[in-house]
Amino acid sequence: MSQDIAAYTAPFAEVAHQRTVFPEGLALDCGATVAPLAVAWRAYGTLNAARSNAILVCHALTGDQYVAETHPLTGKPGWWGNVVGPGLPIDTERYFVVCSNVLGGCMGTTGPREPRAEGEEPWGTDFPQVTIRDMVRAQHRLMEHLGIGRWLAVVGGSMGGMQVLEWAATYPEAVGAAAPIATAVHHSAQNIAFDEVGRAAIHNDPDWRGGRYWEDGSLPARGLSVARMVAHITYLSEQALTRKFGRRLRGASALTFLEDVFEVESYLRHQGSTFVRRFDANAYLTITRAMDFFDLAAEHGGELAAAFRGASAAGTRFCVVSFSSDWLFPTEESRTLVRALNAAAANVSFVEIRSDKGHDAFLLDEPDFHRTLGGFLAGCAERLGV
Amino acid sequence: MSQDIAAYTAPFAEVAHQRTVFPEGLALDCGATVAPLAVAWRAYGTLNAARSNAILVCHALTGDQYVAETHPLTGKPGWWGNVVGPGLPIDTERYFVVCSNVLGGCMGTTGPREPRAEGEEPWGTDFPQVTIRDMVRAQHRLMEHLGIGRWLAVVGGSMGGMQVLEWAATYPEAVGAAAPIATAVHHSAQNIAFDEVGRAAIHNDPDWRGGRYWEDGSLPARGLSVARMVAHITYLSEQALTRKFGRRLRGASALTFLEDVFEVESYLRHQGSTFVRRFDANAYLTITRAMDFFDLAAEHGGELAAAFRGASAAGTRFCVVSFSSDWLFPTEESRTLVRALNAAAANVSFVEIRSDKGHDAFLLDEPDFHRTLGGFLAGCAERLGV
């Protein structure tokens, strides 16, 4: 593997992302300000005259704004093409769907691999550590720019779900409905530990060069690849891995003991090696840190319910979704969230979807989940006369 | 971290292990022969005149023969000092307890870091891939050397449990009783996947040098450290990690965003960095491969019960133990084993110990487990008049 991956030493192709630039920049939780602030975003469907049919989709750690169209780097379909589109649960014939690349990301929004300003050097390791709340603040700028006063709904899975919760906590009046999916109000010690393995692998790669790999166009591809491999295991249930691969061998007999002899190894290596062509290592470090530090209760004096009092008063409707075989964000984490929403007298429904696909289920074809989400959004739209 | 660990470039201290050398060597499953074969071992207690009180302890992946005494490299107590000793479940006042370093290991038994023969170069990457059955064959040589015809019991957890099962399958007449603990008849796709992450981290370390790091005294310390970190997470339950660390910060406030800010990160880094001082990277690769390829059913024409017909006929008594929070070798894997033992009409008892400590529970103070193991061995001894 190392040979293959080490060959990807050139930075990935430059893409002209659709962006909006805010020259005044953004003040961050850590005290620093990034200026200018660029937000790369995509939209699908048509904003109605009342501007009341807009849905914000928040992407996960390694997702981006290309939700429902061909990805400009990989050439693959959008990551939620089975959920967002005409006639789909997030119906682009009915809703105006917006998604922006997160602050700290690497697909056009201000982050470590973006120039500080037009024609300047990339931020690199000087990029300040951002929080999930900072990401949401950047999205709020875009919302103002688009002239939208209130989202019909804010929807997202995994880290996208953290942003959904942060929207409800920070801008409750702007959130008509919220669908936090396969997420939690903070990372567990185990989640932090797995992230730390990935970060250690990146830091250990000599091509990381203290984070200044971009200066001569190199990439810590091997470290980033290991980070992706370990993360990928946590996205699948043991059943899903076993069903996909079991202990099947790739042609060779066990006793030849070649590298890459189990199919699951080959698959993981492929996952790792394709990832490095589209994702920046410093962005990976920045975003995983943001997830690890996210702690909605701590932001509200240690009382989780306090985070949702505003949303409760604003009438925000919540639909919390978990998946039974998700061991990265287990159902128990969603129950904790639902208890806090109930304690804040918020309007909340909760569905645990039976699935054996693990955390990744929110990206896959899960008809029960799609019906749940589609029904929730349609109900919210109907209630608001959209 | 990388700075600290990179400083451990010198190979770890040489220790004069107690060894027995078999000049004729050992023919392996892969077709190769290693000759001479050295087996490093320790024993505790006294072999009785009838030679009927001998218990073989089989160690796990990163264990070794220093079961119940100070470790010569780390200076720490033996890894099963709470189980093996006077008055303990494996009572050295009653039993003669033997443990040998596994074939392919790095504490004196023939393996990648040992010289091919006295005064020669280490095997390094030329060391052939061994199997769990090869490890057991090497232990069988030691057994003959010690003049023991039948073990009162063979006992081991995790990879040690795989050896226990292989003993019962390969040398049933030599196994009076067998206690496979927190183990399985093969690795799951998820187990293989986590191992593959560790191996990729080692292979990616430029100091691995295609496995020839020993030639100039260097070490792939950073890769091995990441491998240890990810493995360590799988040894603990989420509850155990949370109880130990939760989301506690090390002094700093979250927004300083220093490296190593969560206690769990610091702990894992410490685990990784101490490990590289006592464990050889090529041995780690060799042994994890042996675990991944272990497949007791496949060795017996795809019928697991066939592996135990000999032990059933020989009257071997089995005590299968699992731990409720072990997600690396879940109880369900032990149930599969027990079903096969029952199908072979073997004498088997099965206990799931309630514990929230995860896979590592077999090494920790778990009174129910200790009572179970001690009682099982005492019953076997009594039955044989030991």
Side-chain angles (χ1 to χ4, degrees), chain A residues 174-193:
Chain A
V175 182
I181 300 156
T183 194
V185 296
H186 63 235
H187 255 182
S188 70
Q190 192 181 71
N191 293 0
I192 294 171

Side-chain angles (χ1 to χ4, degrees), chain A residues 26-202:
Chain A
L26 187 73
L28 306 177
D29 273 332
C30 66
T33 295
V34 286
L37 166 71
V39 177
W41 59 282
R42 296 294 295 162
Y44 313 88
T46 308
L47 188 60
N48 64 13
R51 299 177 174 268
S52 63
N53 70 332
I55 291 180
L56 177 68
V57 169
C58 301
H59 69 74
L61 168 57
T62 66
D64 52 45
Q65 67 272 38
Y66 298 100
V67 177
E69 64 194 296
T70 304
H71 193 279
L73 278 174
T74 66
K76 290 187 180 165
W79 59 269
W80 231 8
N82 56 347
V83 168
V84 177
L88 294 178
I90 302 182
D91 189 346
T92 51
E93 289 177 338
R94 186 170 190 184
Y95 312 121
F96 177 64
V97 182
V98 176
C99 183
S100 63
N101 185 216
V102 294
L103 183 67
C106 52
M107 289 296 281
T109 291
T110 299
R113 84 172 292 256
E114 293 296 320
R116 288 164 188 260
E118 195 72 47
E120 291 188 12
E121 290 228 303
W123 277 96
T125 49
D126 291 341
F127 188 74
Q129 180 59 53
V130 298
T131 63
I132 299 289
R133 190 159 51 183
D134 292 329
M135 295 176 183
V136 166
R137 287 181 181 127
Q139 291 161 357
H140 190 257
R141 290 291 174 84
L142 176 64
M143 182 194 197
E144 292 173 327
H145 168 78
L146 295 172
I148 295 166
R150 195 180 203 213
W151 300 109
L152 173 60
V154 182
V155 180
S158 196
M159 187 184 80
M162 292 177 170
Q163 293 162 63
V164 171
L165 297 175
E166 196 64 81
W167 263 100
T170 308
Y171 303 108
E173 299 285 347
V175 182
I181 300 156
T183 194
V185 296
H186 63 235
H187 255 182
S188 70
Q190 192 181 71
N191 293 0
I192 294 171
F194 279 121
D195 275 351
E196 177 57 17
V197 169
R199 288 190 293 258
I202 293 169

